[in-house]
Amino acid sequence: MRNSGGSPSLDNCIFRHNVARKKGAGMYNTSGAKPSLTSCVFRENAANSFSGQAGAMYNLLSDVTVIDCTFVANTASDVGALFNQGDSIFVDCRFLGNLGQTQAGAVLDLGSAAYINCEFSGNNTNGNGGAVNYAPLFGTNATAFINCSFSENVSIAGAGGALYANLFLALPNGPSMLNCILWGNAAVTGPEISMNGPVTLSVSYCDVEGGQAGVEVGGLATLDWGSGNIATDPFFVDATGPDDVAGSEDDDLHLMPSSPCINAGDPDFVADPVDEDIDGDPRIFNCRVD
């Protein structure tokens, strides 16, 4: 689907087995497009030519709203699932088993997006950013990850198993992570996070395997290691699911009752009365966010 400057609403749609030579085999948004997608699935789409980018969705200078959508087993020679260059928002989305050969397993973000209550599991790349590669070109807002979980994402020959943040020019604001879990990811360097260039990453109330040792800080990068961070096994119910394969839809990143992450989120986090988690349950239970 190509969307040039339009604002369609798509509900309960399936994009499957689509192929593009270059960009966005499932959906290509451009020229200020502002689509809204709810409960859609992007499965096994491919943009695998030499210059192929984003097997599932390509957003060029477009602001996209994506809610309760699943991106699974998409492939591309560049970034497996999603290319974003715009002020987009992703809520309650799952990125599972996507493969990007050179840039990022799941997401290459060159804009300013918000990822809220999202799961990144079993994504892979030969380049940097097993799950996400953040490399904005411009903008005053920075990408934020809130209440997200990263598990079993791999940068096979690069840096940043969960997140790779690389800036060429300093921007007014840096990316942030709040109430997130990064556990069981892998890379040649920076198994959880790798940073390079004039970027400042803020991490607060997160569970990061290895703590600060799981974060590679290179070049002109700065790590703002805030309050409330821990480095303790989060006790996912079953990170690789019954099939024991990371990146399939049976991956279960729910927390066991004994998880140290329960009620360990930002104590000042105030949820809207209608805020829900990825299962549709209240975002806060027992007075404090997980």
Side-chain angles (χ1 to χ4, degrees):
M1 176 179 178
R2 180 183 174 90
N3 173 29
S4 181
S7 303
S9 295
L10 290 80
D11 297 335
N12 298 301
C13 295
I14 297 176
F15 298 79
R16 186 176 186 183
H17 291 170
N18 299 289
V19 177
R21 186 169 65 89
K22 288 189 176 181
K23 301 172 180 178
M27 188 175 192
Y28 182 9
N29 299 296
T30 186
S31 302
K34 295 185 178 181
S36 176
L37 293 87
T38 304
S39 302
C40 295
V41 177
F42 291 80
R43 183 191 305 275
E44 298 171 348
N45 302 287
N48 283 332
S49 72
F50 177 75
S51 58
Q53 289 184 317
M57 178 185 290
Y58 190 93
N59 302 324
L60 179 62
L61 299 176
S62 297
D63 303 336
V64 181
T65 300
V66 184
I67 299 173
D68 188 32
C69 291
T70 300
F71 299 79
V72 57
N74 300 285
T75 61
S77 58
D78 198 336
V79 51
L82 169 69
F83 173 97
N84 180 70
Q85 189 177 26
D87 295 330
S88 299
I89 182 168
F90 300 84
V91 180
D92 297 339
C93 293
R94 304 182 78 198
F95 296 85
L96 307 170
N98 300 288
L99 173 63
Q101 293 292 340
T102 61
Q103 285 282 357
V107 176
L108 176 60
D109 199 314
L110 273 62
S112 52
Y115 299 86
I116 303 170
N117 302 341
C118 292
E119 294 181 356
F120 298 83
S121 178
N123 302 287
N124 290 269
T125 183
N126 289 315
N128 297 318
V132 179
N133 187 327
Y134 173 71
L137 300 177
F138 57 86
T140 57
N141 297 319
T143 288
F145 299 90
I146 303 171
N147 305 329
C148 293
S149 295
F150 298 78
S151 174
E152 303 289 339
N153 302 287
V154 179
S155 176
I156 298 168
L163 172 68
Y164 179 73
N166 181 34
L167 270 68
F168 298 100
L169 297 172
L171 297 177
N173 299 298
S176 61
M177 289 189 153
L178 176 67
N179 302 337
C180 292
I181 300 173
L182 298 84
W183 200 270
N185 305 287
V188 176
T189 59
E192 300 301 326
I193 301 171
S194 179
M195 306 159 56
N196 194 31
V199 57
T200 297
L201 172 67
S202 299
V203 180
S204 299
Y205 294 95
C206 292
D207 187 4
V208 181
E209 185 170 9
Q212 294 187 60
V215 183
E216 178 186 44
V217 182
L220 301 174
T222 301
L223 175 63
D224 181 4
W225 193 255
S227 301
N229 295 314
I230 61 174
T232 307
D233 189 333
F235 292 121
F236 292 129
V237 169
D238 191 349
T240 58
D243 64 3
D244 203 29
V245 176
S248 56
E249 290 178 85
D250 65 358
D251 294 357
D252 192 345
L253 302 188
H254 289 89
L255 300 177
M256 297 177 65
S258 58
S259 172
C261 298
I262 293 176
N263 296 333
D266 183 359
D268 296 325
F269 182 86
V270 178
D272 188 277
V274 298
D275 280 354
E276 298 175 338
D277 62 17
I278 197 169
D279 292 329
D281 295 324
R283 178 66 263 173
I284 294 181
F285 187 72
N286 285 338
C287 301
R288 185 170 171 179
V289 68
D290 296 338

